[in-house]
Amino acid sequence: MKGKVLFISGIDTNIGKTYATGILARALAEKGKTVITQKMIQTGCTEVSEDIEMHRQLQNIPFTEEDKAGLTCPYIFTYPCSPHMAAECDGRTIDLATITEATRKLQEKYEYVLLEGAGGLMVPNDFNSLTIDYVKEQNYPVLLVTSGKLGSINHTLLSLFACKQYGVEVKALVYNLYPETDKLIADNTMEYLTQYLEKEFPGTVFICLPEYATLISTN
């Protein structure tokens, strides 16, 4: 039986996807699950994915054989920008089938594959495909990472609306508390988003990092 893929996306870049992915992977492992993280596309790096490196640090494990084989990050580009531009800068192209095949190989060994995207859901992989197109095509449930910083409500609702329009399941909304922001805004944002989920996405779990235990019982 193949492992379950959970796609980790965010409402924006630098919102805490990498932190969330590593922490949730560690939590699953602590519950006795076999879990591996994967980065769909890494930009701004050479040779080694800095996000995979951060995952392993958060999991308190060394690089895996799958890391060394390149399965956990099939594409690494040097320029720190959107994947479509980074590929162009390096004179390369992105074949999404390569990513899919790498994920399938990981599914054969692990119960969970936490696949972290690059940036948000509407980030282009090339001039013909957005990240959300790929997520829909693969039928991956999404864990959407947000935070309490100013502007998060707008960005979160837009991302949730996009998922609804595309028919993508939002398994959980992950509320990242770090780094700390204005407490009044953060508390109000959390209150608003939890109430919004109850009304508009009643099946979606609200996870407040690092209080991640509620995800573990989700199949």
Side-chain angles (χ1 to χ4, degrees), residues 8-14 17 39 83 117-123 131:
I8 317 294
S9 190
I11 64 168
D12 202 352
T13 191
N14 294 324
K17 295 189 307 299
K39 180 74 176 182
L121 286 164
M122 306 304 276
V123 165
T131 298

Side-chain angles (χ1 to χ4, degrees), residues 9-122:
S9 190
I11 64 168
D12 202 352
T13 191
N14 294 324
I15 200 68
K17 295 189 307 299
T18 302
Y19 173 73
T21 303
I23 290 292
L24 293 172
R26 189 175 74 195
L28 285 165
E30 288 172 354
K31 293 293 183 179
K33 305 296 183 182
T34 58
V35 56
I36 188 79
T37 66
Q38 185 182 23
K39 180 74 176 182
M40 183 176 175
I41 300 166
Q42 177 78 67
T43 66
C45 290
T46 57
E47 297 183 5
V48 177
S49 163
E50 63 181 17
D51 288 358
I52 292 294
E53 187 174 19
M54 178 60 73
H55 296 166
R56 302 297 170 259
Q57 290 175 5
L58 290 166
Q59 292 174 271
N60 294 318
I61 63 172
F63 278 120
T64 67
E65 290 303 314
E66 292 83 6
D67 295 330
K68 297 172 185 177
L71 289 177
T72 56
C73 190
Y75 287 103
I76 300 176
F77 300 110
T78 57
Y79 202 75
C81 58
S82 178
H84 77 290
M85 179 180 172
E88 186 175 9
C89 287
D90 284 355
R92 299 166 60 194
T93 58
I94 297 170
D95 182 358
L96 295 175
T98 298
I99 299 170
T100 303
E101 179 59 24
T103 303
R104 295 292 177 264
K105 289 180 179 178
L106 296 176
Q107 285 180 274
E108 292 173 1
K109 182 176 178 180
Y110 294 90
E111 293 176 88
Y112 285 91
V113 179
L114 304 189
L115 175 55
E116 180 186 345
L121 286 164
M122 306 304 276

